Coordinates of all heavy atoms in Angstrom, one line a residue:
M5 N -12.7 -0.4 -24.7 CA -11.9 0.6 -25.5 C -10.5 0.6 -25.1 O -10.2 0.7 -23.9 CB -12.6 1.9 -25.4 CG -11.8 3.0 -26.1 SD -12.6 4.7 -25.8 CE -13.9 4.6 -26.9
L6 N -9.7 0.5 -26.0 CA -8.2 0.6 -25.7 C -7.8 2.1 -25.7 O -8.4 3.0 -26.2 CB -7.4 -0.1 -26.9 CG -7.7 -1.5 -27.1 CD1 -7.0 -1.9 -28.4 CD2 -7.4 -2.3 -25.9
R7 N -6.6 2.3 -25.1 CA -6.1 3.6 -24.9 C -6.0 4.2 -26.4 O -6.2 5.4 -26.5 CB -4.8 3.7 -24.2 CG -4.1 5.0 -24.1 CD -2.7 4.9 -23.5 NE -2.7 4.5 -22.2 CZ -1.8 4.9 -21.3 NH1 -0.9 5.9 -21.5 NH2 -2.0 4.4 -20.0
S8 N -5.5 3.5 -27.3 CA -5.2 4.0 -28.7 C -6.6 4.4 -29.3 O -6.7 5.3 -30.1 CB -4.6 3.1 -29.5 OG -5.2 1.8 -29.6
E9 N -7.7 3.6 -29.1 CA -9.0 4.0 -29.6 C -9.4 5.3 -28.9 O -10.1 6.1 -29.7 CB -10.0 2.8 -29.3 CG -9.6 1.6 -30.1 CD -10.5 0.3 -29.6 OE1 -11.0 0.3 -28.5 OE2 -10.6 -0.5 -30.5
L10 N -9.3 5.5 -27.6 CA -9.7 6.6 -27.0 C -9.0 7.9 -27.6 O -9.7 8.8 -27.9 CB -9.4 6.6 -25.5 CG -9.6 7.8 -24.7 CD1 -11.0 8.3 -24.7 CD2 -9.1 7.7 -23.3
I11 N -7.7 7.8 -27.8 CA -6.9 8.8 -28.4 C -7.3 9.2 -29.9 O -7.5 10.2 -30.2 CB -5.4 8.6 -28.4 CG1 -4.9 8.5 -27.0 CG2 -4.6 9.4 -29.2 CD1 -3.5 7.9 -26.8
S12 N -7.8 8.1 -30.6 CA -8.2 8.3 -31.9 C -9.5 9.0 -32.0 O -9.8 9.9 -32.8 CB -8.4 6.9 -32.7 OG -7.1 6.4 -32.9
R13 N -10.5 8.7 -31.1 CA -11.7 9.3 -30.9 C -11.6 10.8 -30.6 O -12.3 11.6 -31.1 CB -12.7 8.6 -30.0 CG -13.3 7.4 -30.5 CD -14.4 6.9 -29.6 NE -15.0 5.7 -30.2 CZ -16.0 5.1 -29.5 NH1 -16.5 5.7 -28.4 NH2 -16.6 4.0 -29.9
L14 N -10.7 11.1 -29.6 CA -10.5 12.4 -29.2 C -9.7 13.2 -30.4 O -10.2 14.4 -30.6 CB -9.5 12.5 -28.0 CG -10.0 12.0 -26.7 CD1 -9.0 11.9 -25.7 CD2 -11.2 12.9 -26.2
A15 N -9.0 12.6 -31.2 CA -8.4 13.2 -32.3 C -9.4 13.6 -33.4 O -9.3 14.7 -34.0 CB -7.4 12.3 -33.0
V16 N -10.5 12.8 -33.5 CA -11.5 13.3 -34.4 C -12.4 14.4 -33.9 O -12.8 15.3 -34.6 CB -12.4 12.0 -34.7 CG1 -13.8 12.3 -35.4 CG2 -11.7 10.9 -35.5
E17 N -12.6 14.3 -32.6 CA -13.6 15.2 -31.9 C -12.7 16.6 -31.8 O -13.4 17.6 -31.8 CB -14.0 14.9 -30.7 CG -15.1 15.7 -30.1 CD -15.8 15.0 -28.9 OE1 -15.8 13.8 -28.7 OE2 -16.4 15.7 -28.1
Y18 N -11.5 16.6 -31.5 CA -10.6 17.7 -31.2 C -9.6 17.8 -32.4 O -8.5 17.6 -32.0 CB -10.1 17.7 -29.8 CG -11.3 17.7 -28.9 CD1 -11.6 16.5 -28.2 CD2 -11.9 18.8 -28.5 CE1 -12.6 16.4 -27.2 CE2 -12.9 18.9 -27.6 CZ -13.2 17.7 -26.9 OH -14.3 17.6 -25.9
A19 N -10.0 18.0 -33.5 CA -9.1 18.0 -34.7 C -8.0 19.1 -34.6 O -7.0 18.9 -35.2 CB -9.8 18.1 -36.0
H20 N -8.3 20.1 -33.7 CA -7.3 21.2 -33.7 C -6.2 20.9 -32.8 O -5.2 21.6 -32.8 CB -8.0 22.5 -33.1 CG -8.5 22.4 -31.8 ND1 -9.7 21.7 -31.6 CD2 -8.1 22.7 -30.6 CE1 -10.0 21.7 -30.3 NE2 -9.0 22.4 -29.6
L21 N -6.3 19.7 -32.1 CA -5.1 19.3 -31.2 C -4.3 18.3 -32.0 O -4.8 17.5 -32.7 CB -5.6 18.7 -29.9 CG -6.5 19.7 -29.0 CD1 -6.9 18.9 -27.9 CD2 -5.4 20.8 -28.5
K22 N -3.0 18.3 -31.8 CA -2.0 17.2 -32.3 C -2.3 16.0 -31.7 O -2.5 15.9 -30.6 CB -0.7 17.8 -32.2 CG -0.2 19.1 -33.0 CD 1.1 19.3 -32.8 CE 1.5 20.7 -33.5 NZ 2.9 21.1 -33.2
H23 N -2.1 14.9 -32.5 CA -2.1 13.6 -32.0 C -1.1 13.3 -30.8 O -1.6 12.7 -29.8 CB -1.9 12.6 -33.1 CG -2.4 11.2 -32.8 ND1 -1.5 10.3 -32.2 CD2 -3.5 10.6 -33.0 CE1 -2.2 9.1 -32.0 NE2 -3.3 9.3 -32.6
D24 N 0.0 13.8 -30.9 CA 1.1 13.7 -29.9 C 0.6 14.3 -28.5 O 0.7 13.7 -27.4 CB 2.4 14.2 -30.3 CG 3.1 13.3 -31.3 OD1 2.6 12.2 -31.5 OD2 4.0 13.8 -32.0
D25 N 0.0 15.5 -28.7 CA -0.7 16.2 -27.6 C -1.7 15.5 -26.9 O -1.7 15.3 -25.7 CB -1.1 17.6 -27.9 CG 0.1 18.5 -28.4 OD1 1.2 18.2 -28.0 OD2 -0.2 19.6 -29.1
L26 N -2.6 14.8 -27.6 CA -3.6 14.0 -27.1 C -3.1 12.8 -26.3 O -3.6 12.4 -25.3 CB -4.7 13.6 -28.2 CG -5.4 14.8 -28.7 CD1 -6.2 14.3 -30.0 CD2 -6.5 15.3 -27.7
E27 N -2.1 12.1 -26.9 CA -1.4 11.1 -26.2 C -0.9 11.5 -24.8 O -1.1 10.7 -24.0 CB -0.4 10.4 -27.1 CG -0.8 9.6 -28.2 CD 0.3 9.2 -29.1 OE1 1.6 9.3 -28.7 OE2 0.1 8.5 -30.1
K28 N -0.3 12.6 -24.8 CA 0.3 13.1 -23.5 C -0.9 13.5 -22.5 O -0.6 13.1 -21.4 CB 1.2 14.3 -23.8 CG 2.4 14.0 -24.5 CD 3.3 15.4 -24.9 CE 4.4 15.1 -25.7 NZ 5.2 16.3 -26.1
I29 N -1.9 14.1 -23.0 CA -3.0 14.4 -22.2 C -3.6 13.2 -21.6 O -3.9 13.1 -20.4 CB -4.1 15.2 -23.0 CG1 -3.6 16.5 -23.3 CG2 -5.5 15.2 -22.2 CD1 -4.4 17.3 -24.3
V30 N -3.9 12.1 -22.3 CA -4.5 11.0 -21.8 C -3.5 10.3 -20.8 O -3.8 9.8 -19.8 CB -4.9 9.9 -23.0 CG1 -5.1 8.6 -22.5 CG2 -5.9 10.5 -23.9
A31 N -2.2 10.2 -21.2 CA -1.2 9.7 -20.4 C -1.1 10.4 -19.0 O -1.1 9.7 -17.9 CB 0.2 9.6 -20.9
V32 N -1.2 11.7 -19.0 CA -1.1 12.5 -17.7 C -2.4 12.1 -16.9 O -2.2 12.1 -15.7 CB -0.9 14.0 -18.0 CG1 -1.2 14.8 -16.9 CG2 0.3 14.3 -18.6
I33 N -3.5 12.1 -17.5 CA -4.7 11.9 -16.7 C -4.7 10.6 -16.1 O -5.0 10.3 -14.9 CB -6.0 12.0 -17.7 CG1 -6.2 13.4 -18.0 CG2 -7.3 11.5 -16.9 CD1 -7.2 13.7 -19.1
L34 N -4.4 9.6 -16.8 CA -4.3 8.2 -16.3 C -3.2 8.0 -15.2 O -3.4 7.3 -14.2 CB -4.1 7.2 -17.3 CG -5.3 7.1 -18.3 CD1 -5.0 6.1 -19.5 CD2 -6.6 6.7 -17.7
D35 N -2.1 8.7 -15.5 CA -0.9 8.6 -14.5 C -1.3 9.3 -13.1 O -1.0 8.8 -12.0 CB 0.3 9.3 -15.1 CG 0.9 8.5 -16.1 OD1 0.7 7.2 -16.2 OD2 1.9 9.0 -16.9
E36 N -2.1 10.3 -13.3 CA -2.4 11.1 -12.1 C -3.5 10.4 -11.2 O -3.5 10.3 -10.0 CB -3.0 12.5 -12.4 CG -2.0 13.4 -12.9 CD -0.9 13.8 -11.8 OE1 -1.3 14.0 -10.5 OE2 0.2 13.8 -12.1
I37 N -4.4 9.7 -12.0 CA -5.3 8.8 -11.3 C -4.6 7.6 -10.6 O -4.8 7.4 -9.4 CB -6.5 8.2 -12.3 CG1 -7.4 9.3 -12.7 CG2 -7.2 7.1 -11.6 CD1 -8.3 8.9 -13.9
A38 N -3.7 7.0 -11.3 CA -2.8 5.9 -10.7 C -2.0 6.4 -9.5 O -1.9 5.6 -8.5 CB -2.0 5.3 -11.8
E39 N -1.5 7.6 -9.6 CA -0.6 8.1 -8.5 C -1.5 8.4 -7.3 O -1.0 8.1 -6.2 CB 0.1 9.3 -9.0 CG 1.1 9.9 -8.1 CD 2.3 9.0 -7.8 OE1 2.6 8.2 -8.6 OE2 2.8 9.0 -6.7
A40 N -2.6 9.0 -7.6 CA -3.6 9.2 -6.4 C -4.0 8.0 -5.6 O -4.0 7.9 -4.4 CB -4.7 10.0 -6.9
L41 N -4.2 6.9 -6.5 CA -4.7 5.7 -5.8 C -3.5 5.0 -5.1 O -3.7 4.5 -4.0 CB -5.2 4.6 -6.9 CG -6.5 5.1 -7.6 CD1 -6.8 4.2 -8.7 CD2 -7.6 5.1 -6.5
A42 N -2.3 5.2 -5.6 CA -1.1 4.7 -5.0 C -0.8 5.3 -3.7 O -0.3 4.8 -2.8 CB 0.2 4.8 -5.9
N43 N -1.2 6.7 -3.6 CA -1.1 7.4 -2.3 C -2.3 7.1 -1.3 O -2.3 7.7 -0.3 CB -0.9 8.9 -2.6 CG 0.3 9.2 -3.4 OD1 1.4 8.5 -3.2 ND2 0.3 10.3 -4.1
G44 N -3.2 6.3 -1.8 CA -4.4 6.0 -0.9 C -5.5 6.9 -1.0 O -6.5 7.0 -0.3
D45 N -5.5 7.9 -2.0 CA -6.5 9.0 -2.3 C -7.6 8.4 -3.0 O -7.5 7.4 -3.7 CB -5.9 10.2 -2.9 CG -4.8 10.9 -2.1 OD1 -4.9 10.8 -0.9 OD2 -4.0 11.5 -2.7
R46 N -8.7 9.1 -2.9 CA -9.9 8.7 -3.8 C -10.0 9.8 -4.9 O -9.8 11.0 -4.7 CB -11.1 8.9 -2.9 CG -12.4 8.5 -3.4 CD -13.5 8.5 -2.4 NE -14.8 8.1 -2.8 CZ -15.7 8.9 -3.4 NH1 -15.6 10.2 -3.3 NH2 -16.8 8.4 -3.9
V47 N -10.4 9.2 -6.1 CA -10.5 10.1 -7.3 C -11.9 10.1 -7.7 O -12.4 9.0 -8.0 CB -9.6 9.7 -8.5 CG1 -9.7 10.5 -9.7 CG2 -8.2 9.7 -8.0
E48 N -12.6 11.2 -7.7 CA -14.0 11.2 -8.1 C -14.1 12.1 -9.4 O -13.7 13.3 -9.4 CB -14.8 11.9 -6.9 CG -16.4 11.8 -7.3 CD -17.2 12.3 -6.1 OE1 -16.7 12.3 -5.0 OE2 -18.3 12.9 -6.4
L49 N -14.9 11.5 -10.4 CA -15.1 12.3 -11.5 C -16.6 12.4 -11.7 O -17.3 11.4 -11.9 CB -14.5 11.5 -12.9 CG -13.0 11.3 -12.8 CD1 -12.6 10.3 -13.9 CD2 -12.2 12.5 -12.9
R50 N -17.2 13.6 -11.4 CA -18.6 13.7 -11.3 C -19.2 13.3 -12.7 O -18.8 13.6 -13.7 CB -18.9 15.2 -11.2 CG -18.3 15.7 -9.8 CD -19.3 15.3 -8.7 NE -18.7 15.7 -7.4 CZ -19.3 15.9 -6.4 NH1 -20.7 16.0 -6.3 NH2 -18.7 16.3 -5.2
G51 N -20.4 12.6 -12.4 CA -21.1 12.1 -13.6 C -20.5 10.8 -14.2 O -21.0 10.1 -15.1
F52 N -19.3 10.3 -13.8 CA -18.7 9.2 -14.3 C -18.5 8.3 -13.2 O -19.0 7.0 -13.3 CB -17.3 9.5 -14.9 CG -16.8 8.3 -15.5 CD1 -17.1 7.8 -16.7 CD2 -15.6 7.8 -14.9 CE1 -16.6 6.7 -17.3 CE2 -15.0 6.6 -15.5 CZ -15.4 6.1 -16.7
G53 N -17.9 8.4 -12.2 CA -17.7 7.5 -11.1 C -16.5 7.9 -10.1 O -15.9 8.9 -10.3
A54 N -16.2 7.0 -9.1 CA -15.2 7.3 -8.3 C -14.3 6.0 -8.2 O -14.7 5.0 -8.1 CB -15.7 7.7 -6.9
F55 N -12.9 6.3 -8.1 CA -11.8 5.3 -8.0 C -11.4 5.4 -6.6 O -11.2 6.5 -6.1 CB -10.8 5.6 -8.9 CG -11.0 5.5 -10.4 CD1 -11.5 6.6 -11.1 CD2 -10.9 4.4 -11.1 CE1 -11.8 6.6 -12.4 CE2 -11.2 4.2 -12.4 CZ -11.6 5.4 -13.1
S56 N -11.2 4.2 -5.9 CA -10.7 4.3 -4.6 C -9.9 3.0 -4.4 O -9.8 2.2 -5.3 CB -11.8 4.3 -3.6 OG -12.6 3.3 -3.7
V57 N -9.3 2.9 -3.2 CA -8.4 1.7 -3.0 C -9.1 1.0 -1.8 O -9.6 1.5 -0.7 CB -7.0 2.1 -2.5 CG1 -6.3 0.9 -2.1 CG2 -6.3 2.8 -3.7
R58 N -9.3 -0.3 -1.9 CA -9.8 -1.2 -0.9 C -8.7 -2.2 -0.3 O -8.0 -2.6 -1.1 CB -11.0 -1.9 -1.3 CG -12.2 -1.0 -1.6 CD -13.5 -1.8 -1.6 NE -14.7 -1.0 -1.7 CZ -15.8 -1.4 -1.9 NH1 -16.1 -2.6 -2.0 NH2 -16.8 -0.4 -1.9
E59 N -8.8 -2.4 0.9 CA -7.8 -3.3 1.5 C -8.4 -4.7 1.6 O -9.5 -4.8 2.0 CB -7.4 -2.8 3.0 CG -6.9 -1.3 3.0 CD -5.6 -1.2 2.2 OE1 -4.8 -2.1 2.2 OE2 -5.5 -0.2 1.6
R60 N -7.7 -5.7 1.3 CA -8.1 -7.1 1.4 C -7.3 -7.6 2.4 O -5.9 -7.6 2.5 CB -7.9 -7.9 0.0 CG -8.9 -7.4 -1.0 CD -9.3 -8.5 -1.8 NE -10.2 -8.0 -2.9 CZ -10.2 -8.3 -4.2 NH1 -9.3 -9.2 -4.6 NH2 -11.1 -7.8 -4.9
K61 N -7.9 -8.4 3.4 CA -7.3 -9.0 4.5 C -6.6 -10.3 4.1 O -6.9 -10.9 3.1 CB -8.3 -9.3 5.6 CG -8.9 -8.1 6.2 CD -10.0 -8.5 7.2 CE -10.6 -7.3 7.8 NZ -11.7 -7.6 8.8
P62 N -5.6 -10.7 4.9 CA -5.0 -12.0 4.5 C -5.9 -13.0 4.8 O -6.8 -13.0 5.6 CB -3.7 -12.0 5.5 CG -4.1 -11.1 6.6 CD -5.0 -10.0 6.0
R63 N -5.7 -14.1 4.0 CA -6.7 -15.2 4.0 C -6.0 -16.5 3.6 O -4.9 -16.5 3.0 CB -7.9 -15.0 3.1 CG -7.5 -14.8 1.6 CD -8.7 -14.6 0.8 NE -8.3 -14.2 -0.6 CZ -8.0 -15.2 -1.6 NH1 -8.3 -16.4 -1.3 NH2 -7.8 -14.7 -2.7
V64 N -6.6 -17.6 3.8 CA -6.2 -18.9 3.4 C -6.8 -19.4 2.1 O -8.0 -19.3 1.9 CB -6.4 -20.0 4.4 CG1 -5.9 -21.3 3.9 CG2 -5.7 -19.7 5.7
G65 N -5.9 -19.4 1.1 CA -6.4 -19.8 -0.3 C -6.1 -21.3 -0.6 O -5.5 -21.9 0.2
R66 N -6.4 -21.8 -1.8 CA -6.1 -23.1 -2.1 C -5.4 -23.1 -3.6 O -5.9 -22.4 -4.4 CB -7.3 -24.0 -2.2 CG -7.9 -24.2 -1.0 CD -8.8 -25.5 -1.0 NE -9.5 -25.7 0.2 CZ -8.9 -26.6 1.2 NH1 -7.8 -27.1 0.9 NH2 -9.5 -26.7 2.4
N67 N -4.4 -23.8 -3.6 CA -3.7 -24.1 -5.0 C -4.7 -24.9 -5.8 O -5.1 -25.9 -5.4 CB -2.4 -24.8 -4.7 CG -1.6 -25.0 -6.0 OD1 -2.2 -25.2 -7.2 ND2 -0.3 -25.0 -6.0
P68 N -5.1 -24.4 -6.9 CA -6.2 -25.1 -7.8 C -5.6 -26.5 -8.3 O -6.5 -27.3 -8.5 CB -6.5 -24.1 -8.9 CG -5.5 -23.1 -8.9 CD -4.8 -23.1 -7.6
R69 N -4.4 -26.6 -8.5 CA -3.7 -27.8 -9.1 C -3.7 -28.9 -8.0 O -4.2 -30.1 -8.2 CB -2.5 -27.7 -9.6 CG -2.5 -26.9 -11.0 CD -1.1 -27.0 -11.6 NE -1.2 -26.3 -12.9 CZ -0.1 -25.9 -13.6 NH1 1.1 -26.2 -13.0 NH2 -0.2 -25.3 -14.6
T70 N -3.2 -28.5 -6.9 CA -2.9 -29.6 -5.8 C -4.0 -29.6 -4.7 O -4.1 -30.5 -3.9 CB -1.6 -29.4 -5.2 OG1 -1.5 -28.1 -4.5 CG2 -0.4 -29.4 -6.2
G71 N -4.7 -28.4 -4.4 CA -5.7 -28.4 -3.4 C -4.9 -28.1 -2.0 O -5.6 -27.8 -1.1
E72 N -3.6 -27.9 -2.1 CA -2.9 -27.4 -0.9 C -3.3 -26.0 -0.5 O -3.5 -25.1 -1.3 CB -1.4 -27.4 -1.4 CG -0.5 -27.0 -0.1 CD 0.9 -27.1 -0.8 OE1 1.3 -27.6 -1.9 OE2 1.8 -26.5 0.0
K73 N -3.3 -25.8 0.8 CA -3.6 -24.5 1.4 C -2.4 -23.7 1.4 O -1.3 -24.0 1.5 CB -4.0 -24.7 2.9 CG -5.3 -25.4 3.1 CD -5.7 -25.3 4.6 CE -7.0 -26.1 4.9 NZ -7.4 -26.1 6.3
V74 N -2.7 -22.4 0.9 CA -1.7 -21.3 0.6 C -2.1 -20.2 1.3 O -3.3 -19.8 1.3 CB -1.6 -21.1 -0.8 CG1 -0.5 -20.0 -1.1 CG2 -1.3 -22.4 -1.7
M75 N -1.3 -19.5 2.0 CA -1.5 -18.3 2.7 C -1.4 -17.1 1.7 O -0.4 -16.9 1.0 CB -0.5 -18.0 3.9 CG -0.9 -17.0 4.8 SD -2.4 -17.4 5.5 CE -2.8 -15.8 6.3
V76 N -2.5 -16.3 1.6 CA -2.6 -15.2 0.6 C -2.4 -14.0 1.4 O -3.2 -13.7 2.5 CB -3.9 -15.2 -0.2 CG1 -4.0 -13.9 -1.0 CG2 -4.1 -16.5 -1.0
E77 N -1.4 -13.1 1.2 CA -1.2 -12.0 2.0 C -2.2 -10.8 1.8 O -2.9 -10.8 0.8 CB 0.3 -11.4 1.6 CG 1.4 -12.4 2.0 CD 2.8 -11.8 1.5 OE1 2.8 -10.6 1.2 OE2 3.7 -12.6 1.5
A78 N -2.2 -9.9 2.8 CA -3.0 -8.8 2.7 C -2.6 -7.9 1.5 O -1.4 -7.9 1.1 CB -3.0 -7.9 3.9
K79 N -3.5 -7.2 0.8 CA -3.1 -6.4 -0.3 C -4.2 -5.3 -0.5 O -5.3 -5.3 0.0 CB -2.9 -7.1 -1.5 CG -4.2 -8.0 -2.1 CD -4.0 -8.8 -3.2 CE -5.1 -9.9 -3.4 NZ -4.7 -10.8 -4.5
S80 N -3.7 -4.3 -1.3 CA -4.6 -3.2 -1.6 C -5.0 -3.4 -3.2 O -4.1 -3.7 -4.0 CB -3.8 -1.8 -1.6 OG -3.4 -1.6 -0.2
V81 N -6.3 -3.2 -3.4 CA -6.8 -3.3 -4.8 C -7.6 -2.1 -5.2 O -8.3 -1.5 -4.4 CB -7.6 -4.6 -4.9 CG1 -6.8 -5.8 -4.8 CG2 -8.9 -4.5 -4.0
P82 N -7.5 -1.7 -6.4 CA -8.2 -0.6 -6.9 C -9.7 -0.9 -7.1 O -10.0 -2.0 -7.5 CB -7.6 -0.2 -8.3 CG -6.8 -1.4 -8.6 CD -6.5 -2.1 -7.5
F83 N -10.6 0.1 -6.8 CA -12.0 -0.3 -6.9 C -12.7 0.9 -7.5 O -12.3 2.2 -7.4 CB -12.6 -0.4 -5.4 CG -14.0 -0.5 -5.4 CD1 -14.7 -1.8 -5.7 CD2 -14.9 0.4 -5.0 CE1 -15.9 -2.0 -5.7 CE2 -16.3 0.2 -5.0 CZ -16.8 -0.9 -5.3
F84 N -13.7 0.6 -8.5 CA -14.4 1.7 -9.2 C -15.9 1.5 -8.8 O -16.5 0.4 -8.9 CB -14.1 1.5 -10.7 CG -15.0 2.5 -11.5 CD1 -14.6 3.8 -11.5 CD2 -16.1 2.2 -12.2 CE1 -15.3 4.8 -12.2 CE2 -16.8 3.0 -12.9 CZ -16.5 4.3 -12.9
R85 N -16.4 2.6 -8.5 CA -17.8 2.8 -8.2 C -18.5 3.7 -9.3 O -18.2 4.9 -9.2 CB -18.1 3.2 -6.9 CG -19.6 3.3 -6.6 CD -20.0 3.8 -5.2 NE -21.4 3.8 -5.1 CZ -22.1 3.1 -4.3 NH1 -21.5 2.2 -3.5 NH2 -23.5 3.2 -4.3
P86 N -19.3 3.2 -10.2 CA -19.9 4.0 -11.3 C -20.8 5.1 -10.6 O -21.4 4.9 -9.6 CB -20.6 3.2 -12.1 CG -20.9 1.9 -11.3 CD -19.8 1.9 -10.3
G87 N -20.8 6.3 -11.3 CA -21.8 7.4 -10.8 C -23.2 7.1 -11.3 O -23.4 6.3 -12.2
K88 N -24.2 7.9 -10.7 CA -25.5 7.8 -11.1 C -25.8 8.0 -12.5 O -26.5 7.2 -13.3 CB -26.4 8.8 -10.3 CG -27.9 8.7 -10.6 CD -28.6 9.9 -10.1 CE -29.0 9.8 -8.6 NZ -29.8 10.9 -8.3
E89 N -25.1 8.9 -13.2 CA -25.3 9.2 -14.7 C -24.7 8.1 -15.5 O -25.4 7.8 -16.4 CB -24.6 10.6 -15.0 CG -25.3 11.8 -14.4 CD -24.7 12.1 -13.1 OE1 -23.9 11.3 -12.5 OE2 -25.2 13.2 -12.5
L90 N -23.7 7.5 -15.1 CA -23.0 6.4 -16.0 C -23.9 5.2 -15.8 O -24.2 4.6 -16.8 CB -21.6 6.1 -15.4 CG -20.9 5.0 -16.2 CD1 -20.8 5.3 -17.7 CD2 -19.5 4.8 -15.5
R91 N -24.4 4.9 -14.6 CA -25.3 3.7 -14.4 C -26.5 3.9 -15.3 O -27.0 3.0 -16.0 CB -25.7 3.6 -12.9 CG -24.7 2.9 -12.1 CD -25.3 2.5 -10.8 NE -26.0 3.5 -10.1 CZ -25.6 4.3 -9.2 NH1 -24.3 4.4 -8.9 NH2 -26.5 5.2 -8.6
A92 N -27.1 5.1 -15.3 CA -28.3 5.3 -16.1 C -28.0 5.2 -17.5 O -28.8 4.6 -18.4 CB -28.9 6.7 -15.8
R93 N -26.9 5.8 -18.0 CA -26.6 5.7 -19.5 C -26.3 4.3 -20.0 O -26.8 3.9 -21.0 CB -25.4 6.6 -19.7 CG -25.0 6.8 -21.1 CD -23.9 7.8 -21.2 NE -23.7 8.1 -22.6 CZ -22.8 9.0 -23.1 NH1 -22.1 9.6 -22.2 NH2 -22.7 9.2 -24.4
V94 N -25.6 3.5 -19.1 CA -25.5 2.1 -19.5 C -26.7 1.3 -19.5 O -26.9 0.4 -20.3 CB -24.5 1.5 -18.5 CG1 -24.3 0.0 -18.7 CG2 -23.1 2.1 -18.6
N95 N -27.7 1.7 -18.8 CA -29.0 1.0 -18.7 C -30.2 1.7 -19.4 O -31.3 1.7 -19.1 CB -29.4 0.8 -17.2 CG -28.6 -0.3 -16.5 OD1 -28.6 -1.4 -16.9 ND2 -27.6 0.3 -15.6
G96 N -29.8 2.3 -20.5 CA -30.8 2.9 -21.5 C -31.5 4.1 -20.8 O -32.7 4.4 -21.1
G97 N -30.9 4.9 -20.0 CA -31.4 6.1 -19.4 C -32.1 5.9 -18.1 O -32.7 6.8 -17.5
V98 N -32.2 4.6 -17.6 CA -32.9 4.4 -16.3 C -31.8 3.9 -15.3 O -31.0 3.0 -15.5 CB -33.9 3.2 -16.5 CG1 -34.5 2.9 -15.3 CG2 -34.9 3.5 -17.5
D99 N -31.8 4.5 -14.2 CA -30.8 4.2 -13.1 C -31.5 3.0 -12.4 O -32.5 3.1 -11.7 CB -30.7 5.3 -12.2 CG -29.6 5.0 -11.1 OD1 -29.1 3.9 -11.1 OD2 -29.4 5.9 -10.1
P100 N -30.8 1.8 -12.4 CA -31.4 0.6 -11.8 C -31.4 0.7 -10.3 O -32.1 0.0 -9.6 CB -30.4 -0.5 -12.3 CG -29.2 0.2 -12.6 CD -29.5 1.6 -13.2
E101 N -30.6 1.6 -9.7 CA -30.6 1.8 -8.2 C -31.5 2.8 -7.7 O -31.6 3.1 -6.6 CB -29.2 2.0 -7.8 CG -28.3 0.9 -8.0 CD -26.8 1.1 -7.4 OE1 -26.7 2.0 -6.6 OE2 -26.0 0.3 -7.7
A102 N -32.2 3.5 -8.7 CA -33.2 4.5 -8.3 C -34.4 3.9 -7.6 O -34.9 2.8 -8.0 CB -33.6 5.4 -9.5
R103 N -34.9 4.5 -6.5 CA -36.0 3.8 -5.8 C -37.1 4.8 -5.8 O -37.2 5.9 -5.8 CB -35.6 3.5 -4.4 CG -34.4 2.5 -4.5 CD -33.8 2.2 -3.1 NE -32.7 1.4 -3.4 CZ -31.8 0.9 -2.5 NH1 -32.3 0.9 -1.3 NH2 -30.9 0.1 -2.8

C-alpha cells in the first residue's frame, strides 16, 4: 500500500476529516517513527509490531561484476518485528509461532 492509498482509505473511513489534515497526520506519524529510530529508540505499536534499529558489523563483500573484495562499513538498519495479532491476521487467524 502506498502512502496515498493509505490516506485515501482513511478519507473514506473518516469522512469528517479534511484530506489535507489526513495527509499531515500520516506525515507526522511516519516522521515521528523515523525520528525515534534515528535516535536509536524502539517504537512499539501494540497489536501491530515493533520498529527498532539493528547494528551491522563491518564485513568484507564482493563486487558482483569483478569479484573484487570490497570493505563494507558498519551501519545501522531499521528492523520490524510483527506483533502476535498481525502475524495471526496475515495467516488467516492462526499465529504460526504459537506453540
Side-chain angles (χ1 to χ4, degrees):
M5 173 182 286
L6 301 174
R7 181 187 292 216
S8 59
E9 293 171 336
L10 174 61
I11 293 168
S12 295
R13 281 193 182 182
L14 289 172
V16 169
E17 191 167 338
Y18 300 99
H20 63 282
L21 295 174
K22 294 180 184 176
H23 196 270
D24 289 343
D25 292 340
L26 289 170
E27 285 180 3
K28 289 176 187 173
I29 290 167
V30 170
V32 166
I33 291 170
L34 296 177
D35 287 344
E36 288 298 318
I37 291 172
E39 186 66 30
L41 292 175
N43 292 333
D45 296 333
R46 183 173 185 264
V47 177
E48 183 175 335
L49 303 171
R50 298 281 171 149
F52 184 71
F55 296 91
S56 60
V57 176
R58 290 201 173 169
E59 303 298 322
R60 293 216 176 137
K61 296 179 181 178
R63 62 184 173 84
V64 176
R66 292 198 179 268
N67 181 329
R69 284 190 183 167
T70 64
E72 177 184 349
K73 290 184 180 182
V74 178
M75 194 60 194
V76 179
E77 296 179 10
K79 59 185 166 186
S80 300
V81 294
F83 177 76
F84 176 73
R85 181 180 175 115
K88 183 195 275 188
E89 293 87 357
L90 180 59
R91 283 192 312 266
R93 191 169 184 180
V94 168
N95 288 290
V98 179
D99 183 3
E101 293 186 15
R103 297 174 192 190

